[in-house]
Amino acid sequence: MQETWRWFGPDDTVSLAQIRQAGARGVVTALDHIPTGEAWPLADIDARRQLIMDHGLVWAVVESVPVHNDIKLRSGDYERLIENYRQTLRNLGQLGINRVCYNFMPVVDWTRTNLDYELPNKSGALRFEMTDFVAYDVHVLKRDGAKDCYSNELLDKARQRFAALTSAEREALESNIIAGLPGGEGSYDRDGVRAEIARFRECGTERYRANLFAFLEDVIPVADEAGVTLCVHPDDPPFSLFGLPRVVSTADDARALLAAVPSRSNALTLCAGSYGARSDNDLTAMVREFGKRIEFVHLRNVCREPDGSFYESEHLDGDIDMVGLINALLDEERGRRSSGSRFPEIAMRPDHGHAMGEERNDPNVRPGYSYAGRMKGLAELRGAIYALQKVRG
């Protein structure tokens, strides 16, 4: 497998030199300074590519070329925005950068309620706590119809939880949930998130799914010509938030997406932690079924709880059978080598990592993206891969 590392550009607290020292061969990055919806200039792409190459690394995957909300809703100036997306794919392909990860999540990107959940060893993990999320949705955001989305038991727990939160804790919870991510369209304030939720809820699940398929029909022919593969990232968490549509959460969702646009340029990012937050997603079975259409993998583990809560555990210790998953991916790679596949190696990166040591108290370290935590995860995953390969002979 091709070991890669997420890098947030020249302002990242982790340098390219450190990435190489960690043992990664490829870099996963994006041009976050380009506003969402605008085409990425060839010169900007080439400058980033050259910077990475100067450190003895390759730009393995673009994560991500964000999809503008107007494209997701097929509203406003979406046709111009789609043409900009096509041009970005052409420019990437011209420079030999041929894998693009993207997502189609509405309003909020990956969502957690706690960005520093303390583990028994005193390191910090990312956590999604359902009771806290409902407390925010019902009592802070006060979204119309929010109470209709939850059970009476969960509403009662959320009421008690909200009453126990201090003002500072309520502000932190809101910041964690709606802060946005690098490469997105920015953060929302409370009124803004309410307005966006209303827009996307009006769309509904089936129309939203149709919009995703229409987007792929618009851009995949250009991706084919450019030699670029688009790898959709699953919803995170893989279930509805704020009553919004989620259309990349299950094996059935993946199956429908791949069937809708059967080109090999229409592919999957198998994020183990995202799909794995649902107990009904069998990740090993998904690799066996969709392996030929999986071109990028995020390897992280989670510990699930019955109400939908979860936290991000050690990479090899959680509810996901990580060794079994890696073994299935290695089987897929073996088949690719014998068939002359375009991507004989599947690109993988250690996704997220625990905040450890001094990094836990460093406000400049992005939650989930500490150097030590990801280096530890990469080393563990590399060990598992090596051991499995050694057994195979």
Side-chain angles (χ1 to χ4, degrees), residues 194-383:
R194 280 198 205 99
E196 285 299 283
I197 287 170
R199 278 212 307 156
F200 278 86
R201 287 198 70 191
E202 184 180 352
C203 184
T205 298
E206 290 315 308
R207 195 170 99 200
Y208 195 61
R209 192 188 309 277
N211 288 354
L212 169 56
F213 295 170
F215 165 69
L216 291 172
E217 289 167 354
D218 287 334
V219 300
I220 288 298
V222 172
D224 286 336
E225 293 172 4
V228 173
T229 297
L230 284 169
C231 312
V232 67
H233 188 286
D235 303 321
D236 187 9
F239 44 78
S240 179
L241 301 177
F242 302 120
L244 291 165
R246 293 292 228 192
V247 294
V248 192
S249 293
T250 67
D252 281 344
D253 290 336
R255 197 171 291 120
L257 180 142
L258 296 177
V261 184
S263 166
R264 291 294 296 275
S265 298
N266 177 28
L268 302 177
T269 294
L270 185 78
C271 179
S274 296
Y275 281 122
R278 291 181 65 120
S279 61
D280 57 348
N281 280 332
D282 183 335
L283 301 187
T284 301
M286 290 176 72
V287 173
R288 303 294 185 199
E289 180 178 355
F290 307 128
K292 290 181 173 54
R293 306 283 287 277
I294 295 171
E295 301 296 359
F296 188 30
V297 180
H298 292 176
L299 295 181
R300 63 178 170 86
N301 218 321
V302 295
C303 285
R304 299 184 295 258
E305 298 169 25
D307 68 352
S309 302
F310 61 88
Y311 68 89
E312 301 189 10
S313 57
E314 302 284 347
H315 282 76
L316 299 182
D317 183 20
D319 289 321
I320 298 168
D321 177 10
M322 188 62 70
V323 174
L325 174 60
I326 291 172
N327 195 44
L329 290 165
L330 291 175
D331 282 344
E332 169 59 26
E333 284 191 333
R334 174 175 288 183
R336 292 182 181 201
R337 286 193 295 271
S338 64
S339 65
S341 172
R342 177 181 172 196
F343 297 117
E345 283 190 309
I346 298 172
M348 79 84 165
R349 69 174 176 88
D351 195 16
H352 299 171
H354 294 161
M356 304 163 59
E358 295 180 358
E359 283 188 300
R360 190 175 178 197
N361 300 312
D362 186 343
N364 296 313
V365 174
R366 287 180 172 84
Y369 291 96
S370 68
Y371 181 59
R374 284 184 291 163
M375 184 164 56
K376 176 174 178 281
L378 180 57
E380 291 171 345
L381 295 167
R382 181 184 297 132

Side-chain angles (χ1 to χ4, degrees), residues 182-201:
E185 288 170 65
S187 302
Y188 300 103
D189 59 19
R190 198 175 299 168
D191 289 338
V193 79
R194 280 198 205 99
E196 285 299 283
I197 287 170
R199 278 212 307 156
F200 278 86
R201 287 198 70 191

Side-chain angles (χ1 to χ4, degrees), residues 52-75:
I52 292 167
M53 291 172 59
D54 288 345
H55 286 80
L57 298 160
V58 297
W59 190 349
V61 182
V62 177
E63 187 175 358
S64 60
V65 181
V67 181
H68 195 281
N69 280 348
D70 283 353
I71 294 177
K72 294 175 183 178
L73 289 173
R74 296 187 81 78
S75 64

Side-chain angles (χ1 to χ4, degrees), residues 78-220:
Y78 79 92
E79 290 178 327
R80 180 186 68 84
L81 296 169
I82 286 173
E83 182 50 43
N84 287 346
Y85 208 99
R86 293 187 185 113
Q87 188 58 49
T88 296
L89 298 180
R90 293 185 189 103
N91 291 347
L92 288 168
Q94 183 175 334
L95 292 172
I97 302 163
N98 48 26
R99 279 178 284 198
V100 172
C101 177
Y102 72 101
N103 77 69
F104 216 75
M105 289 181 255
V107 185
V108 287
D109 209 300
W110 63 263
T111 302
R112 302 293 185 270
T113 57
N114 189 338
L115 306 183
D116 188 31
Y117 175 66
E118 187 165 280
L119 300 172
N121 66 2
K122 304 303 181 183
S123 60
L126 302 180
R127 174 174 174 80
F128 179 86
E129 167 59 55
M130 184 62 76
T131 300
D132 284 0
F133 183 83
V134 177
Y136 173 75
D137 192 15
V138 174
H139 298 286
V140 179
L141 187 62
K142 298 180 180 178
R143 176 175 63 85
D144 289 344
K147 292 181 179 180
D148 297 332
C149 295
Y150 310 107
S151 68
N152 289 333
E153 179 184 5
L154 192 50
L155 288 170
D156 187 53
K157 288 181 179 178
R159 178 185 56 77
Q160 295 179 50
R161 176 61 175 151
F162 176 73
L165 292 173
T166 66
S167 295
E169 288 171 334
R170 293 173 186 176
E171 290 176 5
L173 179 62
E174 180 163 56
S175 176
N176 293 344
I177 292 173
I178 67 172
L181 287 173
E185 288 170 65
S187 302
Y188 300 103
D189 59 19
R190 198 175 299 168
D191 289 338
V193 79
R194 280 198 205 99
E196 285 299 283
I197 287 170
R199 278 212 307 156
F200 278 86
R201 287 198 70 191
E202 184 180 352
C203 184
T205 298
E206 290 315 308
R207 195 170 99 200
Y208 195 61
R209 192 188 309 277
N211 288 354
L212 169 56
F213 295 170
F215 165 69
L216 291 172
E217 289 167 354
D218 287 334
V219 300
I220 288 298

